[in-house]
Amino acid sequence: MDENQLANVFRNLQNTERFRVRLLFSRKARTGYTTYAPNVSNAITDDLVNLIRDNLENKITLTPVQYNPTHCCREGEIEYCTVNYVGNYAEVLESFCNPDTVDTGVNPDDLTFYCFDVSDEHNNFNYRFFRRITKGRKISSSGIMACFAGNTLNKIEQQTLGLDGYVDLVCVENQIFVLNHISLERIFRLEEEFSTRAGEALRILGESNKISNFVQFESDCFSDLRYHKTLSRMLDVNPNLSRVFDNFDNIRAAIDMFDLDIEICDGENPQIIYSDRSQRMDILRIINDAYCRSIICERQVIHDS
C-alpha cells in the first residue's frame, strides 16, 4: 500500500496538460450494469478535472486505513481496499468497455453513479473517479427548473443532472480509496461479497464445534446483513479464526466480567450455548476478542474492530 498514491493523483492532475477523459453514467440492477457514454464537451471535462483536483487537495495528507464494513474511519483517516475486495470490479469495467450510445437521452432517475475516467496521453496513469448519483443530484424528477435570461424567468425543458467535483471513490491501479463509506456498497455488489465471506467465517467456526445449536446460530447470523459485515470483517482482522476457542477460561472470564447472558456447557468439549438471537452480537464479540480491560484504570471496554 503506497501512502503517496493520492498525492500522486493530485500532482498528476496538476502537471499534465493533455488528458484523455471519459464521462460514463451507469445504472446498477440485479441483472447487471448498463453504462451510457454521452458526448461531453471539453468545457465540462476541463471543469470536472479542476474541481476534482481542488477537492482532493485536503485528502492527500489523510492516513490510509483498511476499509472496515462495520464502521466509518476516524477523522484524519481515509479508507482503502483492493479492487479484488469488492468482488465485481471487472463486471463494472466491462460495462464501461461496452457502453450504450445515447441517442434519445437518459433519465437521470435511472442512474446509480457516474465515473470520470482520466488518463494521460502517454498512458503513465489511469484514474477512475466514482460519484454516486443521489436524489439531490437528480434535479429533473419533480417540480420546475428555471433560469433567468435578463429579467425573464424561463422554464428549462431539458432533464438536468448536477455534477460536482466531489468524488466518493478513487481507483488507482488495484487500490480503491473510499471517500464516502456507503458508496462502496451502493456502487459495487458488496452485499454478495459480504455474504460469501460470512459463509466462510461461519464454516470455520462451525468446524470448531464450540457453539452448541450452531445450525440455528448460523441461520440467525445469515438472516441479517449487519452480521454478514461483522463476520466478513473477522476474516480481515483475525487470521487465526479457527483458534479463538482455544482458551475457554478466558471466555468464561469475559462472560462473567461483562455479565453476558451466555452460558457454557462444561465437559471434555466445552461449548458456548446458543439459545436465541439476542446473543448473536455478544458471541461474535467473544470470537472477535472485543471484551477488554484498560491497563491504567482497569475499565471494562468493548472494542469493536
Side-chain angles (χ1 to χ4, degrees):
M1 167 69 215
D2 183 359
E3 294 189 3
N4 296 316
Q5 279 187 314
L6 271 187
N8 292 337
V9 173
F10 177 75
R11 183 173 60 252
N12 286 331
L13 292 184
Q14 278 187 313
N15 296 339
T16 302
E17 295 181 358
R18 297 181 63 84
F19 297 104
R20 292 185 300 191
V21 299
R22 291 196 303 163
L23 186 57
L24 304 155
F25 296 87
S26 297
R27 180 175 70 243
K28 174 186 174 183
R30 291 185 178 181
T31 55
Y33 291 79
T34 303
T35 294
Y36 305 93
N39 296 319
V40 183
S41 70
N42 289 337
I44 290 179
T45 57
D46 289 347
D47 284 348
L48 272 177
V49 168
N50 293 331
L51 287 168
I52 289 172
R53 184 191 62 225
D54 292 346
N55 279 294
L56 280 181
E57 186 171 8
N58 65 346
K59 307 293 191 301
I60 60 178
T61 58
L62 299 179
T63 302
V65 295
Q66 189 177 43
Y67 171 78
N68 183 345
T70 62
H71 299 289
C72 296
C73 61
R74 295 175 296 184
E75 185 177 353
E77 297 177 337
I78 183 170
E79 293 182 300
Y80 73 91
C81 66
T82 67
V83 295
N84 291 332
Y85 181 88
V86 300
N88 72 316
Y89 188 72
E91 179 187 10
V92 174
L93 293 192
E94 184 179 355
S95 75
F96 290 173
C97 294
N98 300 285
D100 287 357
T101 56
V102 181
D103 296 324
T104 58
V106 177
N107 185 350
D109 289 333
D110 295 335
L111 300 174
T112 308
F113 64 90
Y114 64 83
C115 176
F116 193 49
D117 188 300
V118 181
S119 59
D120 76 329
E121 59 182 355
H122 302 296
N123 290 319
N124 291 322
F125 64 79
N126 181 208
Y127 307 134
R128 297 183 178 93
F129 304 95
F130 288 83
R131 180 69 159 149
R132 193 161 58 101
I133 299 176
T134 61
K135 290 183 179 180
R137 284 183 283 279
K138 298 174 183 177
I139 310 173
S140 66
S141 56
S142 62
I144 297 173
M145 289 295 297
C147 64
F148 281 102
N151 65 348
T152 303
L153 186 66
N154 296 319
K155 181 179 178 181
I156 299 176
E157 300 290 349
Q158 295 90 348
Q159 293 178 324
T160 56
L161 177 66
L163 305 176
D164 56 32
Y166 294 99
V167 292
D168 297 328
L169 310 173
V170 181
C171 297
V172 186
E173 297 177 357
N174 69 334
Q175 300 287 341
I176 301 177
F177 291 92
V178 183
L179 282 69
N180 183 296
H181 186 84
I182 194 62
S183 290
L184 196 67
E185 293 183 42
R186 297 292 185 262
I187 290 174
F188 298 104
R189 298 191 187 282
L190 270 183
E191 288 188 8
E192 298 174 12
E193 192 67 14
F194 291 150
S195 178
T196 300
R197 291 167 60 83
E200 172 63 14
L202 286 167
R203 181 190 64 78
I204 295 172
L205 296 175
E207 289 177 353
S208 72
N209 193 29
K210 293 296 183 179
I211 301 176
S212 72
N213 198 18
F214 183 81
V215 173
Q216 189 60 52
F217 175 76
E218 180 180 43
S219 176
D220 289 344
C221 286
F222 260 126
S223 69
D224 192 323
L225 178 61
R226 292 174 299 174
Y227 296 98
H228 291 199
K229 294 180 180 181
T230 301
L231 287 158
S232 176
R233 178 64 175 168
M234 284 181 182
L235 292 180
D236 295 327
V237 300
N238 195 339
N240 297 313
L241 195 57
S242 61
R243 301 189 60 186
V244 296
F245 299 107
D246 283 1
N247 194 329
F248 248 84
D249 288 339
N250 288 347
I251 292 175
R252 288 188 186 91
I255 291 173
D256 292 340
M257 183 182 301
F258 287 84
D259 194 24
L260 304 180
D261 186 20
I262 294 175
E263 294 182 358
I264 289 179
C265 175
D266 291 310
E268 292 185 5
N269 180 39
Q271 291 181 309
I272 291 174
I273 300 174
Y274 178 69
S275 302
D276 60 67
R277 292 188 173 196
S278 65
Q279 299 173 311
R280 285 176 298 180
M281 186 53 72
D282 287 341
I283 292 175
L284 291 177
R285 282 174 172 156
I286 288 173
I287 295 168
N288 211 27
D289 198 15
Y291 293 108
C292 313
R293 174 183 283 174
S294 66
I295 295 176
I296 305 302
C297 299
E298 296 188 343
R299 291 183 295 108
Q300 296 174 13
V301 179
I302 300 175
H303 176 66
D304 289 319
S305 61

